């Protein structure tokens, strides 16, 4: 194992430049195309900050690439050998973990007796509407509706949908049982 403790944002960006050298705008395009924005917490404005941090740690290099035709040269980032090793270890840690961090929701659940039944019902109705909207949004993503997306990209959406559907099912069952006093 390497000595690097990568943040989720660093792991995401490093994985993309390990696939192939990329510049900032290309990274943004891939993040959007793959729907990574919802789970990477990588804002467009932070991409350079993350890339420069990876360079400082020796996990990436930057080189100016002449523009095709007219236009300014672009700074293209690539993963170093150390970057590939750190990425490898980060992927192993990410895949082997089974954390489902939803502390705020768990805190709310433990405080339910402090709410009126109508407030519980309204809160769960909003929660369930949010979950249904998210399911609809992810179900329509091109990774699930168009052939040609890599299997690992499709898997991210299928996994997220499975979790959301399970959470919606649990949420609907729980609120019904809670309101019935079970």
């Amino acid at each position: 194992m390497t000595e690097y403790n990568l943040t989720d944002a660093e792991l995401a960006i490093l994985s993309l430049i390990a696939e192939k050298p990329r510049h900032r705008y290309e990274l943004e395009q891939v993040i959007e195309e793959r729907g990574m924005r919802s789970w990477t917490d990588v804002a467009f404005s932070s991409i350079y900050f993350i890339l420069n941090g990876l360079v400082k740690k020796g996990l990436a290099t930057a080189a100016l690439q002449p523009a095709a035709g007219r236009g300014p040269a672009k700074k293209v980032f690539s993963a170093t050998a150390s970057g590939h090793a750190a990425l490898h270890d980060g992927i192993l840690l990410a895949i082997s973990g089974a954390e489902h961090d939803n502390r705020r929701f768990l805190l709310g659940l433990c405080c339910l007796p402090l709410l009126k039944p109508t407030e519980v019902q309204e809160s769960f109705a909003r929660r369930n509407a949010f979950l249904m909207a998210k399911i609809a949004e992810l179900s329509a993503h091109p990774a699930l509706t168009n052939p040609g997306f890599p299997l690992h990209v499709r898997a991210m959406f299928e996994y997220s949908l499975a979790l959301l559907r399970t959470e919606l099912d649990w949420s609907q069952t729980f609120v019904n049982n809670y309101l019935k006093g079970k």
Side-chain angles (χ1 to χ4, degrees), residues 9-10 12-18 22-25 27-28 42 44-62 75-79:
E10 288 173 326
I13 296 296
L14 187 55
S15 73
L16 294 176
I17 63 172
R22 300 182 197 267
H23 57 81
R24 176 184 179 188
Y25 292 99
L27 285 166
E28 173 63 18
V42 177
F44 178 72
S45 59
S46 66
I47 292 174
Y48 258 143
F49 176 78
I50 295 165
L51 287 166
N52 289 328
L54 292 171
V55 169
K56 285 179 186 174
K57 291 179 180 181
L59 303 177
T61 59
K75 194 184 265 191
V76 176
F77 295 84
S78 304

Side-chain angles (χ1 to χ4, degrees), residues 127-174:
R127 174 185 178 73
N128 294 345
F130 171 81
L131 291 170
M132 287 187 276
K134 194 68 179 169
I135 289 168
E137 176 189 331
L138 289 180
S139 296
H141 192 277
L144 295 174
T145 59
N146 296 344
F149 272 82
L151 182 59
H152 69 281
V153 173
R154 183 179 177 89
M156 292 185 304
F157 288 93
E158 291 171 340
Y159 173 77
S160 297
L161 279 169
L163 289 177
L164 287 167
R165 288 178 178 135
T166 300
E167 192 166 349
L168 178 61
D169 182 54
W170 177 90
S171 186
Q172 290 170 332
T173 301
F174 172 78

Side-chain angles (χ1 to χ4, degrees), residues 2 6 17 21-22 33 37 43 51-52 62 74 87-88 92 95 110 122 127 139 141 150 158 167-168 181:
T2 60
L6 298 173
I17 63 172
R22 300 182 197 267
E33 179 182 277
R37 180 76 63 230
L51 287 166
N52 289 328
K74 294 179 180 170
L87 176 62
H88 179 266
L92 290 176
I95 295 295
C110 81
E122 290 167 7
R127 174 185 178 73
S139 296
H141 192 277
E158 291 171 340
E167 192 166 349
L168 178 61

